[in-house]
Amino acid sequence: MGAYILRRLLLMIPTIVGIMGISFLVIQFAPGGPIEQVISELTGQGNSATERISGGGDFQSQPVGSDDFSSKYRGAQGLDPEFIAKLEKQFGFDKPATERFLLMMWNYIRFDFGESYFRDVSVLDLIIEKMPVSISLGIWILLISYIISVPLGIKKAVSDGSRFDIWTSGVIIIAYAVPGFLFGIMLIVMFAGGSFFDWFPLRGLVSDNFADLSWWEKILDYFWHLTLPLISLALAAFATTTLLTKNSFIDEIRKQYVTTARAKGLNERQVLYGHVFRNAMLIIIAGFPAAFITAFFSGSLLIETIFSLDGLGRLGFESVVKRDYPVVFGTLFIFSLMGLVVSLISDLVYTWVDPRIDFERRDV
């Protein structure tokens, strides 16, 4: 197992480089980069952006003549070429693309993600600042999803075709069909001061007076703010995991070894949890890395927006829109690395659930 873990760790290096390289290549052809963003702000709001980027130096608008900045950057007509060159140096675009990529990867290996283009803060500090919201949503939605869905899926598999299975399937299908953000809006209208009740807060992870509360009041306040977002997020995850668990257990229950175990005199509980469980849970474990990354980083964007929660999903989206490349690539690097690590942990859990699995005898 040690050799397998070492191979997987070494394989992470070209995988990360490939992910970052493809993303970097795509960005090179994407219109509306950070320089265009500054130019757009200049033409729409005057000189405020100039003072922030160029350190307060004088800016003069003048014809660019034969200079190629006007054709290189959209909206640069009439801007001082020296100012555009200063912007390129500020954002690092005065270097060739290959050199920029190699420098970026060298810095990322040392976990130096630089500073945001448009915020006076380092990328790492920005990610740490937004992490509590994403961790709160991610951890609790995974726990709720697996704690409820796995036992429910097992129960549905055992009682396949019964009245309980039919009506719970109807509820699950409806829950899966309703988008989480739409259900979130409905919860706001009904329970967050919309048209009916004003029982839950609409903004933030904690109250403004959180620091003044006692420890038990802080816990209550924390979950008070999380109740509606978690309910909204739980629908799709709850439905998917439940049906996946049910189908996995049904496939295993119908296999020959289960019939053999019953013929040996084992009761249903011994058959289910002594033989079926370890095999059926493998497919659930296989889906955990994707569920982990989705719950923590990408699946909560709309929910964060609706409930005014400032987390990583919202940060990533706003960074892409603003072309804040240090934040975009920094978050991508961290998410990719975490995804690969979780995938490795998932493989190790395989061997714990089913000791018959031996990765040492297989190629990576």
Side-chain angles (χ1 to χ4, degrees):
M1 181 57 67
Y4 172 77
I5 295 175
L6 179 60
R7 290 199 303 269
R8 286 292 300 271
L9 292 175
L10 293 176
L11 186 61
M12 290 182 184
I13 298 175
T15 304
I16 287 286
V17 173
I19 293 173
M20 300 301 295
I22 293 173
S23 302
F24 187 86
L25 182 63
V26 171
I27 287 296
Q28 303 310 304
F29 297 99
I35 294 180
E36 284 89 342
Q37 295 286 326
V38 174
I39 292 174
S40 176
E41 185 177 349
L42 280 170
T43 56
Q45 300 182 9
N47 296 348
S48 59
T50 308
E51 296 177 357
R52 183 175 69 246
I53 300 298
S54 61
D58 293 335
F59 163 70
Q60 295 179 352
S61 176
Q62 66 179 40
V64 295
S66 60
D67 194 276
D68 63 347
F69 284 125
S70 59
S71 59
K72 187 176 180 181
Y73 300 109
R74 184 178 301 176
Q77 293 85 354
L79 296 182
D80 188 350
E82 293 183 1
F83 173 72
I84 301 297
K86 189 178 295 185
L87 283 180
E88 286 188 328
K89 185 176 181 179
Q90 178 76 21
F91 292 129
F93 288 99
D94 57 329
K95 302 181 180 67
T98 304
E99 182 180 348
R100 297 203 310 271
F101 176 74
L102 293 176
L103 179 61
M104 179 184 72
M105 293 305 302
W106 170 246
N107 290 332
Y108 283 8
I109 291 173
R110 298 177 290 132
F111 287 91
D112 178 9
F113 301 104
E115 292 192 355
S116 167
Y117 282 160
F118 304 107
R119 310 186 193 193
D120 189 18
V121 61
S122 71
V123 174
L124 192 58
D125 290 341
L126 196 59
I127 293 175
I128 294 174
E129 177 187 342
K130 312 298 181 183
M131 192 70 79
V133 170
S134 295
I135 289 178
S136 297
L137 293 176
I139 287 179
W140 292 116
I141 198 60
L142 282 176
L143 288 177
I144 292 172
S145 172
Y146 278 80
I147 288 175
I148 296 178
S149 300
V150 171
L152 179 59
I154 296 174
K155 175 64 176 177
K156 286 174 63 62
V158 172
S159 57
D160 183 38
S162 66
R163 181 176 298 179
F164 171 81
D165 179 46
I166 293 174
W167 76 260
T168 52
S169 295
V171 173
I172 289 172
I173 292 173
I174 293 174
Y176 185 77
V178 177
F181 74 91
L182 187 61
F183 192 73
I185 294 174
M186 184 184 71
L187 291 177
I188 291 175
V189 172
M190 295 184 64
F191 302 112
S195 302
F196 297 93
F197 306 102
D198 191 9
W199 292 348
F200 295 95
L202 187 57
R203 176 182 304 275
L205 190 62
V206 294
S207 300
D208 294 335
N209 63 335
F210 183 78
D212 300 328
L213 301 177
S214 60
W215 67 269
W216 63 270
E217 289 176 328
K218 289 181 178 179
I219 295 176
L220 291 178
D221 181 77
Y222 172 74
F223 284 106
W224 182 46
H225 283 75
L226 278 179
T227 299
L228 297 187
L230 286 180
I231 292 175
S232 303
L233 278 173
L235 289 179
F238 164 79
T240 302
T241 309
T242 300
L243 294 178
L244 183 63
T245 303
K246 175 192 173 182
N247 294 333
S248 178
F249 272 80
I250 286 178
D251 289 341
E252 293 297 324
I253 289 173
R254 293 172 178 172
K255 291 183 178 179
Q256 184 63 40
Y257 74 88
V258 175
T259 304
T260 303
R262 287 171 177 165
K264 290 181 178 180
L266 299 179
N267 59 43
E268 287 300 314
R269 185 175 184 85
Q270 290 174 323
V271 171
L272 186 64
Y273 292 102
H275 294 76
V276 174
F277 185 83
R278 64 168 60 178
N279 295 323
M281 284 301 295
L282 292 178
I283 190 172
I284 311 299
I285 297 171
F288 181 80
F292 176 87
I293 297 298
T294 299
F296 270 77
F297 306 118
S298 60
S300 58
L301 169 60
L302 292 175
I303 300 301
E304 289 179 9
T305 303
I306 292 172
F307 291 97
S308 300
L309 297 172
D310 200 6
L312 290 175
R314 193 173 177 183
L315 172 65
F317 174 75
E318 292 178 349
S319 300
V320 171
V321 172
K322 295 179 180 178
R323 304 298 194 271
D324 197 348
Y325 293 155
V327 178
V328 172
F329 287 119
T331 52
L332 176 63
F333 181 86
I334 292 177
F335 297 169
S336 301
L337 182 61
M338 291 186 66
L340 293 172
V341 171
V342 171
S343 179
L344 175 58
I345 295 175
S346 178
D347 285 351
L348 299 180
V349 174
Y350 281 160
T351 61
W352 175 69
V353 174
D354 190 349
R356 295 173 300 174
I357 298 177
D358 188 1
F359 289 108
E360 291 285 1
R361 299 178 181 177
R362 300 176 55 193
D363 293 331
V364 178

